[in-house]
Amino acid sequence: MPGLGLPGAAWAGSGKDESTPGRSAAAETAVARFYKSLTKPQREAICFPFDHKLRSVVKNNWSIVKPAIRDMDKEQKALCREIMKGLTSEEGHERFMRQMKDDSPGGFEAYHVAVFGEPESEKPFEWVLTGRHDTLRVDGNSVAGAAFGGPIFYGHAADGHDTEDPKHTNNVWWPQAEAANMIFSTLDDKQRKQALMEDAEADDADTIRLKGGSLPSTGLSIATLDGQQKQMTRKLIDTMLAIFREGDAEEVRQCLDASGGVDSLRLTFFKEDDLGDDGIWDIWKLEGPAFSWYFRGAPHVHAWLNVARRA
């Protein structure tokens, strides 16, 4: 099975908040320097109070502000690149750069960034990057109990193709779906019946709204799987987290542990839009009371993610 080229991180959470990215992390210190470099007109165009409604928005294709990174000076462009490198793993950064090059003329510099709050002070802040197939965040652990500082999105239309081939050739995120389908291949007929549904969920932020105690009983409960299958589920999560910096990945694990661990999750596959009718499910979801990861691989990849300590 093709992988991301990264070893799976240790599953057990440390239980210590110090392991999550704080204000002294590489990406966060670069955000502070970026904020300091902004002119008054730039601050008026891309900076907002921390509690502004735009901060919590997540979409698959949007511009949080009108100016793009390409409109900034050389130092500011370099700082944005430094921030982006700091919020991803080495392999993840390479994949995001490929995705952005495919998805937007001009690549990384065609994307848009905004700053909420005051990174130079001890007050809460968040740096948000948006554009085609990305909503990504750096928050210095300002948003208590929320991994990544809030819901995020990543996607890819490989080689610029809106509708990909069934094997999703060159899609940088498809190895995540391969790991999910490996779990499906181990299920017996009864489990497959529980795991497989006809119609996919909506391709928008509502599909990752955290449900808490009202989580529906649809899909396959991970708690009912055997030890090997549970380990495959942990490996799936680690494969997905491997594109991000370890501090954010660890915070996701901590949040999941706090809301019931892997046994609290349900795994669902959807028959809708099975590209090539090959039984390799392009659309699937891993969901718990305070964990929601929705992977929609048709006609190309859209991945929505929302994780918190509690709903």
Side-chain angles (χ1 to χ4, degrees), residues 155-195:
H156 187 203
D159 300 323
H161 299 308
D162 187 65
T163 300
E164 296 180 345
D165 64 81
K167 293 184 178 180
H168 297 269
T169 304
N170 293 328
N171 191 293
V172 297
W173 311 131
W174 185 245
Q176 298 177 0
E178 292 176 320
N181 276 277
M182 282 293 292
I183 299 173
F184 187 86
S185 72
T186 70
L187 303 180
D188 60 30
D189 289 344
K190 181 179 178 180
Q191 290 172 323
R192 291 187 179 195
K193 186 176 181 180
Q194 291 175 317

Side-chain angles (χ1 to χ4, degrees), residues 199-210:
D199 298 327
E201 298 185 15
D203 186 22
D204 57 38
D206 279 344
T207 204
I208 53 166
R209 192 175 303 279
L210 302 180

Side-chain angles (χ1 to χ4, degrees), residues 54-309:
L54 277 176
R55 183 178 61 81
S56 60
V57 174
V58 56
K59 295 183 181 181
N60 66 304
N61 186 6
W62 68 302
S63 303
I64 191 168
V65 292
K66 185 175 180 179
I69 294 171
R70 62 172 168 252
D71 300 320
M72 298 176 181
D73 67 28
K74 183 177 179 180
E75 177 191 3
Q76 292 165 341
K77 291 176 184 177
L79 284 168
C80 286
R81 290 188 179 275
E82 184 178 342
I83 296 164
M84 185 67 197
K85 193 169 185 178
L87 68 87
T88 56
S89 67
E90 183 177 352
E91 179 79 6
H93 182 262
E94 181 179 337
R95 291 177 183 269
F96 272 109
M97 291 299 103
R98 168 65 187 275
Q99 170 259 307
M100 291 178 176
K101 182 179 179 181
D102 281 351
D103 286 336
S104 295
F108 177 74
E109 291 190 4
Y111 286 73
H112 309 258
V113 299
V115 179
F116 298 84
E118 302 175 23
E120 291 182 301
S121 71
E122 293 302 312
K123 296 179 181 179
F125 76 91
E126 188 162 286
W127 179 93
V128 183
L129 176 143
T130 64
R132 189 176 185 216
H133 290 154
D134 286 301
T135 298
L136 303 173
R137 309 174 187 278
V138 173
D139 79 321
N141 217 15
S142 294
V143 184
F148 301 105
I152 64 171
F153 176 93
Y154 59 98
H156 187 203
D159 300 323
H161 299 308
D162 187 65
T163 300
E164 296 180 345
D165 64 81
K167 293 184 178 180
H168 297 269
T169 304
N170 293 328
N171 191 293
V172 297
W173 311 131
W174 185 245
Q176 298 177 0
E178 292 176 320
N181 276 277
M182 282 293 292
I183 299 173
F184 187 86
S185 72
T186 70
L187 303 180
D188 60 30
D189 289 344
K190 181 179 178 180
Q191 290 172 323
R192 291 187 179 195
K193 186 176 181 180
Q194 291 175 317
L196 194 57
M197 298 183 66
E198 290 289 340
D199 298 327
E201 298 185 15
D203 186 22
D204 57 38
D206 279 344
T207 204
I208 53 166
R209 192 175 303 279
L210 302 180
K211 299 181 176 67
S214 61
L215 181 70
S217 59
T218 54
L220 180 64
S221 171
I222 301 302
T224 66
L225 301 183
D226 64 29
Q228 181 180 6
Q229 291 167 324
K230 289 182 181 180
Q231 185 57 35
M232 292 177 72
T233 304
R234 296 185 183 99
K235 185 176 180 180
L236 168 62
I237 296 171
D238 285 340
T239 297
M240 293 154 70
L241 291 176
I243 64 177
F244 302 107
R245 56 180 174 176
E246 180 50 36
D248 282 330
E250 175 62 13
E251 188 168 19
V252 170
R253 298 185 190 101
Q254 291 177 7
C255 288
L256 181 55
D257 287 345
S259 62
V262 70
D263 280 359
S264 70
L265 301 178
R266 308 190 74 87
L267 180 59
T268 307
F269 297 86
F270 302 92
K271 292 182 180 180
E272 182 179 328
D273 290 338
D274 174 19
L275 298 182
D277 295 321
D278 55 8
I280 305 298
W281 309 116
D282 299 86
I283 306 175
W284 49 276
K285 188 176 189 180
L286 190 61
E287 187 173 29
F291 183 106
S292 188
W293 208 318
Y294 183 53
F295 189 103
R296 188 177 182 106
H300 53 261
V301 172
H302 282 186
W304 305 82
L305 172 60
N306 189 14
V307 182
R309 285 187 175 271

